[in-house]
Amino acid sequence: TFPLYKDETQATYRALGSRKIKITTWNPIRMWKGMQQMGKRLKKKDIQGNLKGEGLVQGGVFIFDQQGALRSAYEEETGSELEMDEIRAVLEE
């Protein structure tokens, strides 16, 4: 297992440019299909939202070594899954 830290003050988020979800298409059918696919993935993983907080914020995963040096960074892309195999590989190095 590895420790997990949450940036409660969003200082890291602001330092990295305060990224938010962007609309990549105005095609309503494509938007609907994308939302449907994302909903299926969330349901399959039993992830539930509460509709509280800032829903447009894009986060990420940052991996630091024991000295505090940044080893790797993965910026969230809404609708895309994180590369868990790559993240595990960095953690296990």
Side-chain angles (χ1 to χ4, degrees):
T1 64
F2 305 97
L4 177 66
Y5 302 96
K6 182 178 178 186
D7 183 8
E8 294 284 347
T9 64
Q10 295 187 340
T12 305
Y13 167 73
R14 285 191 303 279
L16 295 171
S18 304
R19 295 179 44 225
K20 294 193 179 217
I21 294 173
K22 295 178 185 156
I23 296 175
T24 58
T25 182
W26 290 105
N27 180 326
I29 295 171
R30 181 180 268 176
M31 288 174 73
W32 180 76
K33 284 183 179 181
M35 294 294 286
Q36 194 175 38
Q37 289 172 346
M38 191 166 34
K40 285 179 184 178
R41 283 197 311 273
L42 293 174
K43 186 174 183 177
K44 180 180 176 184
K45 295 179 179 188
D46 197 29
I47 298 172
Q48 300 174 2
N50 61 13
L51 301 178
K52 294 180 182 177
E54 176 56 71
L56 300 177
V57 171
Q58 286 194 297
V61 175
F62 302 92
I63 301 171
F64 298 88
D65 65 17
Q66 291 179 339
Q67 289 73 39
L70 182 63
R71 296 276 316 278
S72 190
Y74 299 88
E75 291 184 349
E76 176 186 22
E77 290 295 330
T78 301
S80 298
E81 297 203 30
L82 288 172
E83 298 292 336
M84 294 308 296
D85 290 337
E86 291 180 28
I87 292 172
R88 278 188 201 94
V90 172
L91 289 171
E92 292 171 352
E93 288 180 358

